[in-house]
Amino acid sequence: MKNKLLLLTWAALVTIVLMAALSLNRQGSNIIGKDFSDSDDMKWRLDEFYDVIGPSVLNPIDLEEAKKKITVSDREIEEHRTRYGTLADQLANIHDQYAQRIDDARAASNVLLKDTLIEERDMKLEDIRKNFEEDNHVEAKIRKEKEKVLEGYLNEIANKSYSLHVAYELKNVETGETFSYGDISKPAVYKKKFNANSDYLKASSLPGRYSDWQTPYVNYYEDAHVSDEEMTALSNPVQSFEGIVIVPKTAFEKGGAMYAQYKDFNRGKYGMYAFWTLGLLALIALFTVMKFKKEWVTEPSLVARYAYVKIDVKAMLMLLTVLMLFGFIDRYSSSVMNFFMYQSLGRWGEWVIAFFFGGMLMTALIAFQLVNSIERYKKDGALEADFKDSYMLRFVNALQEVFLKRSIGVQTFILLIGFFLAGIGFVAMFMTGMFFVMYAFCVMFLGLPALYIFMRRSAYLNRIIVATEKMAAGQLSEDIKVQGRSPLADHAKNLNNLREGVRASMTEQAKSERLKTELITNVSHDLRTPLTSIITYTDLLKDETITPEERSKYVDILDKKSQRLKTLIEDLFEVSKMASGNLELHKQRVDLMQLLQQALAEHAEEIADSGLDFRSTLPEDMLVAYVDGQRWWRVLDNLIVNAIKYALPGTRVYLTLRKVGESAEFVVKNITKYELGENVDELFERFKRADTSRHTDGSGLGLAIAQSIVDMHHGNMKIELDGDLFKVTVTVPTK
């Protein structure tokens, strides 16, 4: 817990340093040594002033003159006339709107309301008829609507109020007319002169920010649309002015028009000074009291879990965390000043949450990933092993395997491309007629033939599947029909060969029955030997004339033979369960390296007494597999005991445990005490021992039991002989 707190503290300091550095780079030149008069807010307000001073004061449009310039085109007349449909449609619509209301008024005996509604309806019907009969009628309506729009626009500009309280004195260069507002002799925080040397102030009749009239400036009435060309035609020529414009110092003083903005700017500026100082202190702390320590991010349980993550997933996680961190820093470093200027509990709450999850947590995760990746890939072969175990390599391998049968791979690729292009074409055909024609052509001459071939192949595949199901049910008399030279035809041939293999397997099953008979014979022999001894020595113990020494000797022999009989019976039951499939595995996550170490420790005394030198090679990290721990212990135990009993005294026994691909491999090598011959398969037979005299205490089932347990885990057990060199290799999947 302490390491986690230290890591988060370090991550917080790093995040603060990064934010402070980026915000200083972005905003330092606009804040350090600057006043509100130099701020972007002030510049925006001045730009707004220069934008609207022309239309509102210096060069306004004359309303009456502008009304005379309004034009109405034939297209506008026709559009206005038919906007709501044909004459019949509009008349029917108006009639329907009033019919129910008139009937309700008549039913309520409200004569006044009924007459009023009828009169109102008739007026609208008459107006619609005039729209379709007289162009002048429509033109007058459109002109009146445009006049209202223009009047609203000019009133909007004229009534525009500005909180800047700019003082100015400007003179029209051509007419000499002077315009002034406020006292320009007051002390100023902003001052600008306009003359021939420093350029004149250009005053337009239209605000610059409203020059794009694709959306009309003010659409007071839906029926009135004033275009850019019309507004330009109604405006006055641009006028030039000379003079002076100031923002008085009193605007920034308490009670002034800009005092609130001035105060907010200063609060933000000094807040940024404090934040940059905090960033500097955080940087100093990172190099002194909060130096990064590797143990903060190397907790064994987390490292072990992280080690199982594929290398390509690790790379994507790293990229994601880096992007999230720099996304947070990029966004919030540019808005830190706003948090100081416009403080609120909700804003700071949002900032704290974003700082923790987007800054601290991402920085801590990046540190964890970097350190653990560096530490892991310092080990020889780790990078290569992780790359071989990556999803990307699996995808590449799968892609290669798709083309093991080149025709199937090519057909699959073409099919996928075809579906992709078909989707694009289906959307594109709705765009233009040409696309529709092209799409129809492709469907008829490419899509339909491909669909026919695909359907034939699918039908053939279904027939093969049905035939395979019959084979699985034991019906082995009927061959699968082979059609053509496609990969499916090759598959049908292979299935026919498999059918022949199943028949051969049935022959092998008969052989297995014979082996069962031999097994019963061997079991009888091995059980009879200790049982005969037990009966014999029991009879001897009944003799009351034997000496105590003899009695003790007979009891020891009875105990030894009883244990021998017990071992035989227990092993026999276990082999029987495995053969019948009644043995149930309880798989769990097991560290094979720890299990092997425990097995060696269990037999440490026997190993010491055997005169053998056991040499073990184990992996550096945990080697985990999902196995039944108790059963897998039996495999290791049997192999170790086998080595102790049958290895040549005075020689070395080599034990190796390692990870190979996605499997764990356990190897035992030793020099045998007895000559084994060359038939390796005999060693897996039940009741088979290396010593043909059968005088050891084993059951002869050790390797058979180990083989069965390995098979149940979907592993592999292999015995190799090279003269007297005996080698057992056991592999089991780790997943």
Side-chain angles (χ1 to χ4, degrees), residues 342-375:
Y342 314 112
Q343 300 179 17
S344 69
L345 185 61
R347 184 185 291 267
W348 280 104
E350 173 196 349
W351 194 89
V352 168
I353 293 173
F355 181 82
F356 178 79
F357 288 101
M360 290 173 57
L361 197 58
M362 292 303 106
T363 303
L365 287 174
I366 291 172
F368 172 82
Q369 293 173 84
L370 281 176
V371 171
N372 283 282
S373 296
I374 292 172
E375 290 298 312

Side-chain angles (χ1 to χ4, degrees), residues 535-581:
I535 294 172
T536 300
Y537 284 100
T538 301
D539 289 339
L540 290 173
L541 284 173
K542 294 178 181 178
D543 187 356
E544 298 180 355
T545 63
I546 61 175
T547 64
E549 292 79 6
E550 290 176 324
R551 186 179 300 278
S552 176
K553 180 181 177 181
Y554 296 160
V555 169
D556 289 340
I557 293 173
L558 282 173
D559 180 70
K560 184 177 180 180
K561 296 301 180 180
S562 298
Q563 293 299 325
R564 164 74 174 149
L565 186 60
K566 177 184 176 183
T567 301
L568 283 169
I569 293 173
E570 287 178 347
D571 287 352
L572 183 60
F573 272 120
E574 188 160 3
V575 168
S576 177
K577 284 184 179 180
M578 293 178 184
S580 62

